[in-house]
Amino acid sequence: MIRLLLSCCAICVGSTAMSKDKVTVAVATNFAETLSILEPIFEATHDTDLVIVSGASGTLFAQISNGAPYDVFLSADQARPKALFDAGLGTEPVTYVHGQLVLWGLADDVTAASLTDPSLRFVALASPAVAPYGLAAEQTLATLGLSEALDGKLVFGQNIGQTFAMAGTGAADLAFVAKSAVLANDAAQSGTYWPIPSDHHAPITQDATVVIGNNQDAGQTFLSFLTSPTAQDIMRNHGYEVPTE
């Protein structure tokens, strides 16, 4: 009788656990650290497990286009969420943050002049083909008239995380990364960064979409959470600008 009772309890507990909602968020690498800060707050206030999958926007977009079971896509650009919407794979995109690009390195004083230092070996940036921050970095070099001069010194990561690591380990002298990556990484405190002027590249407007056909209700609830004052304060503190009404 006791064994039967314990078995019944186990089934009840298992059923309760199974009933808890879950939302899987595919997030651009630049925003992953900030999302990890938001995760416990969302879970505590919504009784929903948040599953985070991070990567380059282009890579995540390709996965969703091929049926990956994500509920929300937080991109680092506007083009890819719009493409999902146009294809009937996502809801109408909304802007959740505006990103900021910086040039970071372990040197004491990183400035625009650091890019023309004769001792410069390598400059890291995320692949422009899949990472919007990499595209912004490429545009910045063009604005500065340095694309040709630095052509042989550019090294590419698949995302902001890889790019940051290149400069952090000394494999590259400088890296174009998201300001959020610098603020979130303790190792960055031993270096300095130059905030790239906003007119040096196209705006880094980061849009989100709820993936059609999966857990849309939970996905929409999560997007609404990102507009809450608590979430927006955290995003500001991590190097982002948030949309205003």
Side-chain angles (χ1 to χ4, degrees), residues 20 33-50 52 222 225 230 234:
K20 190 171 185 180
E33 181 68 27
T34 303
L35 185 56
S36 72
I37 303 298
L38 294 169
E39 178 183 9
I41 300 171
F42 174 76
E43 291 182 337
T45 55
H46 293 81
D47 193 33
T48 300
D49 286 330
L50 187 65
I52 300 172
F222 172 74
F225 163 74
T230 297
I234 290 172

Side-chain angles (χ1 to χ4, degrees), residues 10 25 30 32 44 47 58-60 87 91 95 113 115 117 120-121 133 150 166-167 172 202 205 230 232 237-238 245:
V25 179
N30 76 88
D47 193 33
T59 301
L60 296 173
T91 58
T95 299
L115 290 168
D117 189 317
L120 182 67
R121 298 174 302 120
Y133 280 82
L150 292 178
M166 289 179 185
T205 301
T230 297
Q232 291 194 328
N237 290 337
H238 282 76
E245 294 292 341

Side-chain angles (χ1 to χ4, degrees), residues 102-155:
V102 302
L103 180 68
W104 176 80
L106 293 174
D108 292 334
D109 187 24
V110 174
T111 66
S114 301
L115 290 168
T116 56
D117 189 317
S119 66
L120 182 67
R121 298 174 302 120
F122 297 109
V123 179
L125 62 154
S127 171
V130 295
Y133 280 82
L135 178 60
E138 187 177 66
Q139 293 170 344
T140 296
L141 292 176
T143 299
L144 294 172
L146 295 175
S147 299
E148 185 174 345
L150 292 178
D151 184 52
K153 297 184 177 183
L154 300 180
V155 292

Side-chain angles (χ1 to χ4, degrees), residues 14-244:
S15 298
T16 301
M18 289 290 288
S19 67
K20 190 171 185 180
D21 212 348
K22 180 182 76 171
V23 59
T24 302
V25 179
V27 57
T29 305
N30 76 88
F31 195 72
E33 181 68 27
T34 303
L35 185 56
S36 72
I37 303 298
L38 294 169
E39 178 183 9
I41 300 171
F42 174 76
E43 291 182 337
T45 55
H46 293 81
D47 193 33
T48 300
D49 286 330
L50 187 65
V51 179
I52 300 172
V53 180
S54 65
S57 294
T59 301
L60 296 173
F61 169 78
Q63 291 173 351
I64 295 170
S65 298
N66 286 289
Y70 303 143
D71 302 310
V72 179
F73 177 35
L74 301 181
S75 186
D77 67 356
Q78 293 183 294
R80 292 177 175 92
K82 183 178 184 304
L84 291 177
F85 173 64
D86 290 343
L89 298 176
T91 58
E92 186 169 0
V94 295
T95 299
Y96 64 103
V97 289
H98 301 283
Q100 299 181 67
L101 182 70
V102 302
L103 180 68
W104 176 80
L106 293 174
D108 292 334
D109 187 24
V110 174
T111 66
S114 301
L115 290 168
T116 56
D117 189 317
S119 66
L120 182 67
R121 298 174 302 120
F122 297 109
V123 179
L125 62 154
S127 171
V130 295
Y133 280 82
L135 178 60
E138 187 177 66
Q139 293 170 344
T140 296
L141 292 176
T143 299
L144 294 172
L146 295 175
S147 299
E148 185 174 345
L150 292 178
D151 184 52
K153 297 184 177 183
L154 300 180
V155 292
F156 300 91
Q158 285 300 304
N159 53 55
I160 288 295
Q162 289 184 10
T163 306
F164 182 89
M166 289 179 185
T169 60
D173 303 300
L174 301 168
F176 284 100
V177 297
K179 182 180 179 180
S180 58
V182 174
L183 296 181
N185 198 306
D186 291 339
Q189 306 311 309
S190 59
T192 57
Y193 65 89
W194 171 51
I196 307 300
S198 59
D199 61 357
H200 281 32
H201 57 80
I204 306 174
T205 301
Q206 303 191 200
D207 277 8
T209 182
V210 176
V211 180
I212 298 293
N214 295 316
N215 194 351
Q216 290 180 230
D217 288 342
Q220 193 58 58
T221 296
F222 172 74
L223 283 193
S224 297
F225 163 74
L226 290 185
T227 66
S228 68
T230 297
Q232 291 194 328
D233 283 346
I234 290 172
M235 292 187 288
R236 287 191 192 94
N237 290 337
H238 282 76
Y240 294 98
E241 296 176 358
V242 297
T244 56

